């Protein structure tokens, strides 16, 4: 895709993967990074974006974002600095046929905003019974396979075979670990708050039991398994051990789970209903430590829900929150609270998820895709229905102040947001 | 940047002046509010014994009984209480009407609001439903409409909790120094939760929860109770024994093997009751399963105060409705 030459000048360039954190200019041409530092001669007369006082970093890479209204949500993505995102297959209908994937890929390309990396359905209709046509789905554009958020494979023999088959062809799997039986009827973390509010609980063991059994199958199959949206300290402990053992597993954490706990349900606030549920303070601390150490990447788990889906009693409301536009400021806030260097925090939402997704994006070496996020780290703004581009206004952070605002986003060297 | 303030972190039951405007839960209500309700109920007790059983406190007001879950008994007690306050009572059995046609809870509320309702008495199968209604009314600026929770999911049944407090106070006068045991299916019991919060606020000496692990919520002790799995141990020295109903569908399955085994372990028999103090009272929110959670000899015995509970329930509901309506 042709694009004009652009120089981003006077900004602080942070490229975690390549160890750059410096006041240095970035030059883009032909959809790629052309030079860092001094402009090549051919850049005389190139368009200049003045990034004085701003941070210039790789466009964010999101491991899980749902896109019910594709164009609107992709506009929200670039407004949040997200230039690549993986889309789980739990759409309606689920992404279990190549035609559906092709259509998604085509519409995303037409929108010309963020790159959409579809996760195909691992089983037909996400029913956990028969394998979907993984090969055809991969040819249509799926980069990995998943059961989405609500359809764990209950039959462990199906799970074993899915891992064997996917591994035969080198397809990675993304699974959200939750034992369906232990989580049955549950709507909140099984702990003090759920007990007090009389909310049916989902024990942390629903997650750790599913992680443990999936890890056993990884040991026998060698499957490349990404555990998505880990919520419990027990889950983190198991994954740390698996990594220490050298198993080919990775994981991520939803950015809301780094900040919130079940206490934030307050008096039945359905904005705080998540899947997996917000857990206890001890869990939140373990998640935060895992993201800080680099064990886990961070995702937005973007789930736009209209008002009808949330204006219901807690246990009947839909789970999830809008996240694409909060991924960056909530990650910055987390880094500040944990006293983490900015480059380390940005790695969790740029190069780390890009590596998990097998994407060439997520960094800004010469020759890398010119997917860039420019943000003002000092800008203050308030989360409201008006300030959010996403059609999903559902967030427990509504009315809260945020620090850090994206001022420009470039995809393949084209300015797709701000300026 | 600040953490979000979950909606209604401030107690949605109290208005800016700290007055009770909805009754949603006994949790978080100051002791003075609870005592005021009990005192007001005491003053209504004689109304029910008059020839003309009416006071004009809610004359001209419309009370809507919104029962999304069937309960003839609870609905009737609210209806009687509202009528004794001279209110007009409209009963809506919603399990069979609007929601069956896909109308949402708040749509239903908005429709009734347009009919000039002054008070909603809400029974719902999902925990927290009355909070959603109260919050919605605040959002649309209708601070003049009041919500009384008549039981939501497993969460709360505050008027039952308050009538239990009334009963305890009636027989025992003071709460401090009392040891109160709540026995049975606490996991699914909104009554138990309402009793526990009220007892702790009113300063009960010790609140005990007795039951098998399958019927007790996680981290129960954090609600301010002492947990016992052995009923004999838990009943020792108790002043008050509150028995809970065991729902039929929970008698045989993974929570309990059988009603027979449950009765053997947790049924209140004269022998087990003898372990409590000699003047201990026995309460039950009704309807009772004789031979499952309680032996007939105890249910009909002279320590049982189960029928007086029902009588007090009318006065307590009159007190709650008149207080939230601003009297």
């Amino acid at each position: 895709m042709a694009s004009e030459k652009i120089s981003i000048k006077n900004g602080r360039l942070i490229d975690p993967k390549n160890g750059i954190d410096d006041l240095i200019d970035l030059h883009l041409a032909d959809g790629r990074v052309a030079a860092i530092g001094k402009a090549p001669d051919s850049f005389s007369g190139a368009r200049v974006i003045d990034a004085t006082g701003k941070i210039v970093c790789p466009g964010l890479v999101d491991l899980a974002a749902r896109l019910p209204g594709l164009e609107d949500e992709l506009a929200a993505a670039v407004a949040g600095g997200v230039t690549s995102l993986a889309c789980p297959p739990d759409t309606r209908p689920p992404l279990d046929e190549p035609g559906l994937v092709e259509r998604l890929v085509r519409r995303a390309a037409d929108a010309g905003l963020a790159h959409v990396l579809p996760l195909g359905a691992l089983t037909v209709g996400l029913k956990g019974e028969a394998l979907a046509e993984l090969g055809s789905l991969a040819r249509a554009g799926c980069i990995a396979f998943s059961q989405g958020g609500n359809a764990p494979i209950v039959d462990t023999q199906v799970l074993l075979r899915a891992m064997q088959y996917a591994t035969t062809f080198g397809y990675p799997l993304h699974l959200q670990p939750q034992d369906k039986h232990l989580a049955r009827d549950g709507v909140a973390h099984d702990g003090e708050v759920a007990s007090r509010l009389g909310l049916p609980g989902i024990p942390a063991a629903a997650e750790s039991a599913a992680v443990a059994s999936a890890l056993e199958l990884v040991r026998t199959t060698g499957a490349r398994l990404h555990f998505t949206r880990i919520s419990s300290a027990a889950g983190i402990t198991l994954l740390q051990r698996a990594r220490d053992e050298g198993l080919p597993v990775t994981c991520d954490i939803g950015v809301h789970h780094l900040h919130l706990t079940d206490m934030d349900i307050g008096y039945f606030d359905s904005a705080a209903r998540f899947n997996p549920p917000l857990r206890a303070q001890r869990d939140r601390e373990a998640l935060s430590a895992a993201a800080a150490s680099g064990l886990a990447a961070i995702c937005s788990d973007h789930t736009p829900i209209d008002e009808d889906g949330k204006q219901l009693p807690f246990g009947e409301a839909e789970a999830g929150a809008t996240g694409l536009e909060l991924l960056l400021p909530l990650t910055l806030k987390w880094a500040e609270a944990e006293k983490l260097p900015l480059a380390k925090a940005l790695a969790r939402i740029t190069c780390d998820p890009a590596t998990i997704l097998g994407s060439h994006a997520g960094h800004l070496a010469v020759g890398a895709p010119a997917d860039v996020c420019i943000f003002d780290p000092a800008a203050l703004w308030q989360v409201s229905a008006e300030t959010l581009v996403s059609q999903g206004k559902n967030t427990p952070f509504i009315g809260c102040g945020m620090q850090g605002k994206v001022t420009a986003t470039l995809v393949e060297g084209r300015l797709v947001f701000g300026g | 940047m600040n953490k979000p303030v979950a909606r209604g972190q401030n107690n949605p039951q109290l208005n800016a002046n700290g007055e009770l405007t909805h009754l949603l839960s006994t949790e978080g209500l100051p002791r003075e509010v609870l005592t005021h309700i009990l005192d007001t109920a005491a003053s209504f007790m004689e109304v029910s014994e008059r020839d003309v059983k009416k006071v004009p406190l809610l004359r001209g007001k419309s009370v809507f009984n919104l029962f999304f879950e069937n309960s003839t008994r609870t609905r009737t007690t609210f209806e009687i209480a509202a009528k004794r306050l001279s209110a007009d009572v409209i009963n809506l059995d919603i399990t069979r009407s609007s929601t069956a046609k896909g109308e949402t809870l708040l749509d239903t509320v908005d429709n009734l609001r347009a009919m000039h309702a002054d008070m909603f008495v809400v029974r719902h199968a999902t925990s927290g439903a009355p909070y959603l209604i109260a919050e919605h009314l605040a959002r649309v600026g209708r601070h003049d409409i009041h919500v009384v929770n008549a039981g939501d999911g497993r969460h709360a049944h505050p008027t039952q909790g308050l009538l239990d407090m009334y009963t305890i106070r009636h027989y025992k006068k003071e709460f401090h120094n009392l040891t109160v045991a709540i026995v049975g299916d606490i996991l699914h019991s909104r009554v138990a939760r309402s009793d526990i919060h009220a007892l702790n606020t009113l300063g009960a000496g010790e609140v005990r929860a007795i039951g098998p692990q399958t019927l007790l919520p996680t981290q129960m002790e954090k609600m301010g109770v002492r947990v016992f799995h052995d009923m004999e141990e838990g009943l020792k020295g108790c002043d008050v024994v509150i028995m809970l109903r065991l729902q039929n569908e929970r008698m045989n399955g993974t929570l309990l093997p059988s009603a027979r085994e449950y009765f053997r372990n947790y049924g209140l028999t004269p022998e087990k009751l003898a372990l409590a103090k000699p003047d201990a009272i026995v309460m039950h929110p009704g309807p009772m399963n004789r031979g499952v959670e309680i032996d007939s000899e105890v249910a009909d015995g002279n320590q049982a105060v189960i029928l007086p509970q029902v009588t007090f329930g009318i006065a307590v509901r009159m007190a709650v409705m008149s207080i939230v309506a601003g009297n």
Side-chain angles (χ1 to χ4, degrees), chain A residues 174-190:
Chain A
H174 289 217
L175 295 179
Q176 183 175 332
Q178 184 157 291
D179 184 286
K180 196 171 180 170
H181 301 303
L182 288 173
R184 184 163 51 207
D185 302 329
V187 301
H189 171 61
D190 189 30

Side-chain angles (χ1 to χ4, degrees), chain A residues 190-192 195-200 259-260 263-264 266-270 311-313 316 333 396-397 400-402, chain B residues 1-4 6-9 12 27 105-106 124 126-129 131-132 139 154-155 193 217-219 222:
Chain A
D190 189 30
E192 186 187 348
S195 289
R196 187 166 48 78
L197 295 178
L199 295 171
H259 292 278
L260 306 176
M263 294 297 287
D264 292 294
Y267 291 103
F268 304 100
D269 183 359
S270 59
Q311 290 293 349
L312 290 169
E316 296 172 18
K333 168 67 185 165
F397 288 99
C400 291
M402 294 280 157
Chain B
M1 192 182 77
N2 35 347
K3 282 243 298 186
R7 70 185 185 203
Q9 287 283 13
E27 188 197 353
L105 175 58
L106 295 184
H124 201 285
T126 306
S127 299
Y131 281 78
L132 183 73
R139 195 168 44 232
R154 308 173 178 185
H155 170 242
R193 287 176 177 79
T218 306
Q219 296 185 291
K222 294 209 172 156

